[in-house]
Amino acid sequence: MEIIKYDIVVLGGGAGGLAAAVCLSKKLNKNGIKYKIAILDKEDKCGRKLLATGNGKCNLTNYNMSPEYYNRSCREFIAPILSKYKPEKLMSFFLSLGMIFRSDSAGRVYPYSGTAFDVMNILVLNSQAYGADIHCSVNVRQIEQVRGGFKLISDTAEYQCKKLILAAGGKAQPNLGSSGASYSFAKMLGLDVSPVFPSLAPIPCKDKDLSAVKGVRVPCRVTLNADNVPVHTETGELQLNADNVSGICVFQLSRYSNEFFALGTVNGVKTEKITITADLMPEYTCADVEKMLFSKCRKYPDQKNGEIFTGMLNRKLGEFICKRAELDINGYMYSLMQDDIETLARLVKTCTFTPKSLSSFNAAQVTAGGISVDQINPDMSCKKNSGLYMIGEALDVDGVCGGYNLHFAFSSGIIAGNACADSMRGGVK
Ligand SMILES: Cc1cc2nc3c(=O)[nH]c(=O)nc-3n(C[C@H](O)[C@H](O)[C@H](O)COP(=O)(O)OP(=O)(O)OC[C@H]3O[C@@H](n4cnc5c(N)ncnc54)[C@H](O)[C@@H]3O)c2cc1C
């Protein structure tokens, strides 16, 4: 097997790995000095997942940045990183590479060009310009820490390096390169990995009647309840599918439902049962809805029950609510009783869905769990293994939708790249 020697290898040419490689090569390769730096990626091109972000527009950070947008177990670890790498500082890194931005009213920041391709491309161009080699279609299978560095075995070659930045991502969307290999590598290197589960994903539900509203989208307020206690509420467009509920507002709840199915807890608290309740008319009280329904009955006594939500809700959704209230949609409104109206209004305000299982990693945006952060120093170096740095989604850090995951991937990459370059020059660590 061919042996290829480098000073530093960045394993994974995704968001974090590319940012790390730019910083490394920019800092080390100057004044006629050149270090051998390689990015290895198993896909045929770098940043495949990065290209899919933000619906192809790449929501790369958010002006509203705080540890509370990340999982509880990482907050202490991430707080100093976020205060060092504020959104403005991350943007100034990209600005220095030649990229400008646009933001929206929710504070989400995108490249000005509106294309994720541009973000990937500017990182690749700069890595190469500063002298890093990019090797794609290199599937690393094994890593060993040896005297003076690391040995990485791929299908075709053995790579040797003095320092290693592990940036091989998580398990979400394996079709985009996320093989989950980071966790095996961490174990090979003697590190602890917390159980992993999908996050930011559609939530599979048991409700058989969902198929009747397949394809319906409704602006609403959704809440995840653990043992009937509300845990988290989001507002947004709920998408109803035959066997799951989806939409960004549901993605934000999915960490809790998946924690429940993976660990039997919600926010670390043992939980017996979870439900999702949707308020389909959040701008109105239950009494308002009842009033509207009574007025419908008075105005249209000879119309069918299935018409009672006409002008208020999507037709399929209206019929769905009637059926949940056990009303005959072909019966007539004159026969509706006060109890029926109260039931309908209550169902509109608390339309309940019952999650049935873990979301699929194939549909998830990120991985929750991963390499435990108590093993990592603030400069992203590993406490136990000298010369090893770990960044991005591989770590037990996951954020909500809105640019928080890329913010961490990029910031941790920049921090690791700079720290690794300093230690290379200083010959320490
Ligand atoms: C559809 C979608 C949309 C998203 N949108 C957003 C968004 O708008 N904003 C946001 O903040 N986050 C978003 N995310 C999340 C974001 O993409 C990730 O958090 C981020 O890419 C993680 O960066 P990373 O560098 O750690 O891992 P990755 O970007 O996944 O990079 C890891 C790299 O390692 C390579 N690799 C893996 N195993 C091996 C191996 N054995 N050998 C060699 N190479 C290997 C992979 O091919 C990959 O290129 C989205 C995710 C998805 C799936």
Side-chain angles (χ1 to χ4, degrees):
M1 190 180 261
E2 187 188 6
I3 295 183
I4 307 171
K5 293 190 177 179
Y6 275 96
D7 292 311
I8 305 167
V9 164
V10 179
L11 174 51
L18 288 171
V22 170
C23 294
L24 262 178
S25 45
K26 186 174 177 185
K27 212 161 186 183
L28 285 174
N29 293 341
K30 55 185 177 196
N31 306 327
I33 299 170
K34 179 145 181 2
Y35 284 82
K36 286 196 76 193
I37 299 165
I39 302 170
L40 309 182
D41 201 288
K42 71 193 239 306
E43 298 295 304
D44 59 357
K45 55 180 184 247
C46 283
R48 286 200 55 211
K49 193 167 185 178
L50 186 53
L51 291 178
T53 57
N55 274 330
K57 292 197 286 185
C58 186
N59 173 200
L60 52 88
T61 183
N62 197 306
Y63 280 114
N64 304 311
M65 189 54 66
S66 155
E68 80 197 41
Y69 296 118
Y70 295 85
N71 54 306
R72 280 163 198 260
S73 55
C74 81
R75 287 184 192 162
E76 208 176 305
F77 168 76
I78 204 173
I81 296 174
L82 298 184
S83 60
K84 194 166 171 196
Y85 269 86
K86 297 195 162 64
E88 294 77 6
K89 186 146 178 201
L90 180 61
M91 288 157 72
S92 74
F93 162 77
F94 277 106
L95 197 60
S96 75
L97 308 183
M99 172 161 283
I100 53 173
F101 307 94
R102 288 177 202 274
S103 57
D104 66 14
S105 57
R108 292 181 284 243
V109 178
Y110 298 87
Y112 191 82
S113 64
T115 66
F117 175 81
D118 236 25
V119 179
M120 185 276 291
N121 204 26
I122 211 154
L123 291 169
V124 167
L125 291 180
N126 278 275
S127 306
Q128 289 173 326
Y130 292 115
D133 295 339
I134 298 182
H135 298 261
C136 287
S137 305
V138 174
N139 187 9
V140 173
R141 299 202 173 276
Q142 202 185 319
I143 303 180
E144 217 182 298
Q145 183 150 26
V146 293
R147 214 191 159 101
F150 299 87
K151 224 161 69 173
L152 289 80
I153 316 283
S154 80
D155 293 336
T156 50
E158 175 180 316
Y159 290 82
Q160 295 179 355
C161 59
K162 295 175 189 141
K163 293 185 190 292
L164 173 63
I165 300 184
L166 182 64
K171 263 187 105 163
Q173 303 227 354
N175 58 322
L176 300 175
S178 299
S179 57
S182 298
Y183 313 122
S184 320
F185 296 150
K187 286 177 188 161
M188 288 173 201
L189 294 163
L191 295 164
D192 295 331
V193 179
S194 310
V196 295
F197 52 90
S199 186
L200 308 187
I203 302 179
C205 288
K206 285 183 188 164
D207 313 83
K208 293 244 165 22
D209 54 355
L210 258 177
S211 58
V213 277
K214 182 177 130 193
V216 171
R217 293 169 175 237
V218 53
C220 66
R221 186 156 59 215
V222 283
T223 301
L224 188 124
N225 311 287
D227 293 335
N228 301 320
V229 178
V231 170
H232 190 88
T233 296
E234 286 282 333
T235 303
E237 187 184 68
L238 171 67
Q239 295 174 22
L240 300 165
N241 299 314
D243 59 358
N244 66 60
V245 291
S246 187
I248 301 292
C249 56
V250 169
F251 282 17
Q252 308 284 41
L253 303 182
S254 64
R255 191 184 201 284
Y256 305 99
S257 65
N258 287 319
E259 180 193 331
F260 172 73
F261 288 110
L263 310 175
T265 57
V266 172
N267 271 337
V269 178
K270 195 161 169 19
T271 299
E272 295 297 328
K273 135 181 151 185
I274 57 168
T275 53
I276 294 170
T277 43
D279 180 348
L280 303 174
M281 294 179 67
E283 301 83 354
Y284 298 94
T285 63
C286 197
D288 292 336
V289 178
E290 278 177 27
K291 227 196 238 165
M292 289 180 217
L293 297 178
F294 275 125
S295 123
K296 284 277 168 57
C297 291
R298 272 196 303 272
K299 251 192 191 150
Y300 308 111
D302 299 328
Q303 291 294 336
K304 297 201 168 152
N305 292 338
E307 299 289 353
I308 195 162
F309 288 108
T310 300
M312 293 167 68
L313 286 180
N314 170 292
R315 185 177 186 81
K316 277 193 200 169
L317 195 56
E319 290 184 0
F320 170 89
I321 297 291
C322 286
K323 286 184 185 160
R324 283 200 162 186
E326 296 180 358
L327 294 180
D328 174 4
I329 56 167
N330 291 315
Y332 291 91
M333 283 194 227
Y334 64 75
S335 61
L336 292 179
M337 312 293 282
Q338 172 144 358
D339 274 6
D340 298 326
I341 299 294
E342 284 170 6
T343 305
L344 287 172
R346 183 175 44 75
L347 287 170
V348 167
K349 295 297 287 176
T350 51
C351 181
T352 303
F353 302 100
T354 310
K356 75 167 173 214
S357 61
L358 274 176
S359 306
S360 160
F361 269 118
N362 294 334
Q365 291 198 351
V366 292
T367 315
I371 301 167
S372 313
V373 289
D374 54 5
Q375 308 165 103
I376 311 294
N377 290 311
D379 68 354
M380 311 312 295
S381 62
C382 224
K383 290 181 182 166
K384 264 206 229 159
N385 311 53
S386 153
L388 177 65
Y389 297 77
M390 298 207 159
I391 62 174
E393 196 179 320
L395 295 174
D396 182 6
V397 174
D398 62 283
V400 299
C401 281
Y404 298 97
N405 290 294
L406 281 175
H407 183 93
F408 178 69
F410 289 134
S411 309
S412 60
I414 294 168
I415 292 170
N418 284 325
C420 182
D422 289 344
S423 80
M424 196 77 200
R425 280 197 305 205
V428 288
K429 271 202 176 151

